[in-house]
Amino acid sequence: MCDSCGCGEMPDHDHDHGHDHEHLPDGRIIKVQKDILGENNLIAERNRGFLEARHAACLNVVGSPGSGKTTLLEKTCRDLGKEHTFYVIEGDQQSSLDAERIRSAGVKAIQINTEYGCHLDAGMVNKALKELEIQDQSLTFIENVGNLVCPALFNLGENRRVVVYSVTEGNDKPLKYPYMFRSAHLAVITKTDLIPYVDFDLEQARADIRKTHPGITVIELSVKSGEGLEAWFTWLRELRLEP
Ligand SMILES: Nc1nc2c(ncn2[C@@H]2O[C@H](COP(=O)(O)OP(=O)(O)OP(=O)(O)O)[C@@H](O)[C@H]2O)c(=O)[nH]1
Ligand SMILES: [Mg+2]
């Protein structure tokens, strides 16, 4: 995890970062990680309370860069935007490209730039939730920084975590990055329209996701063709706020 070694503050480093931290005293990395996650969890609980007070739901959408997170959220905002009040918090290292895409789909969005950071934390989300002035009974999507590693560790106070996994990433991701799949409530396999053109075994993907996280719900869809989208919309409509 980058914050356990201070990668998030790279500009202040006066040494090459390609090392394994053996020079740190025993236990120091673990202690820092514990402190960061402990503080994060406290703020995540505040976020949870903030949302609960408004009977509002929040989904943390995670996955590799380019897996199709924004495309899925754009489509959801366009197709269900009249039915539900949505908000989107976008996390990227730089730019406001994703927030602009969401705004074009008619939904209020805030862009967070993490610069050298590789994930959103609960404090960033806390500020964004307040800035959005979310309405009662609304649904806020948080699109996390594209990354299959660090976002798995950071509770943002969300009700559910959704991992978006595209067929172009190859079959090995659930077994190589199990924490992300294990921490998610729903796995969305995207870009299924591309299956004829890539080496991707859908059966194997389902089996590996379930091996990593038995009982997880898996939805397969293509935003491009529209196939499978209704299952995602149904999952959203049936979302209940209790844990
Ligand atoms: N063929 C196909 N392409 C898709 C689909 N969904 C997304 N894409 C394309 O995949 C690319 C990446 O999509 P994004 O939605 O920007 O991916 P992202 O996960 O938000 O990426 P980051 O924000 O950088 O992590 C874009 O060129 C999309 O048009 C799909 O269902 N089928
Ligand atoms: Mg995106």
Side-chain angles (χ1 to χ4, degrees):
M1 179 181 70
C2 295
D3 269 350
S4 65
C5 66
C7 283
E9 289 159 16
M10 191 96 80
D12 297 332
H13 274 49
D14 57 1
H15 57 257
D16 178 359
H17 211 262
H19 57 66
D20 61 8
H21 292 105
E22 275 170 18
H23 59 286
L24 289 175
D26 274 357
R28 191 167 141 201
I29 291 178
I30 291 166
K31 184 174 180 307
V32 171
Q33 180 168 335
K34 221 166 141 184
D35 288 350
I36 290 169
L37 292 179
E39 193 183 321
N40 181 78
N41 286 341
L42 281 178
I43 304 173
E45 282 314 309
R46 270 191 241 151
N47 292 349
R48 203 180 297 284
F50 182 91
L51 291 157
E52 261 176 32
R54 289 158 181 79
H55 306 284
C58 181
L59 299 182
N60 183 4
V61 181
V62 294
S64 302
S67 54
K69 299 179 293 300
T70 312
T71 306
L72 181 62
L73 296 183
E74 269 181 292
K75 180 69 178 161
T76 306
C77 291
R78 284 188 205 283
D79 286 16
L80 302 189
K82 289 199 172 67
E83 212 177 294
H84 294 285
T85 305
F86 293 133
Y87 301 95
V88 179
I89 298 171
E90 285 289 349
D92 286 294
Q93 287 196 312
Q94 291 193 7
S95 92
S96 53
L97 293 169
D98 281 3
E100 283 158 20
R101 286 168 63 185
I102 297 295
R103 286 182 202 124
S104 305
V107 163
K108 194 170 176 184
I110 284 194
Q111 181 78 50
I112 298 173
N113 284 147
T114 58
E115 295 297 334
Y116 288 91
C118 50
H119 58 269
L120 292 176
D121 66 33
M124 298 170 186
V125 170
N126 187 274
K127 283 193 199 111
L129 281 174
K130 287 176 182 159
E131 213 175 309
L132 281 169
E133 298 179 332
I134 62 167
Q135 284 180 24
D136 286 7
Q137 313 214 335
S138 57
L139 169 54
T140 301
F141 295 102
I142 303 168
E143 181 184 336
N144 219 311
V145 179
N147 179 349
L148 273 180
V149 183
C150 306
L153 297 168
F154 284 81
N155 174 7
L156 304 179
E158 72 266 24
N159 299 103
R160 297 286 185 276
R161 190 172 291 182
V162 178
V163 59
V164 176
Y165 167 38
S166 59
V167 303
T168 52
E169 291 168 57
N171 267 104
D172 54 3
K173 298 304 171 288
L175 299 185
K176 284 165 72 172
Y177 303 96
Y179 301 111
M180 188 60 91
F181 288 86
R182 206 169 288 154
S183 73
H185 299 86
L186 171 70
V188 177
I189 301 178
T190 52
K191 310 194 193 180
T192 53
D193 58 290
L194 297 178
I195 286 178
Y197 313 103
V198 293
D199 287 332
F200 189 82
D201 182 336
L202 199 50
E203 275 301 317
Q204 187 66 49
R206 285 188 204 114
D208 287 343
I209 291 170
R210 293 202 167 108
K211 195 189 292 175
T212 307
H213 183 163
I216 189 174
T217 305
V218 181
I219 290 175
E220 297 130 25
L221 58 83
S222 160
V223 178
K224 191 163 177 131
S225 73
E227 198 180 1
L229 268 176
E230 203 47 49
W232 159 246
F233 292 159
T234 301
W235 187 88
L236 283 176
R237 288 190 183 106
E238 291 176 354
L239 186 65
R240 296 288 169 264
L241 294 185
E242 57 273 12

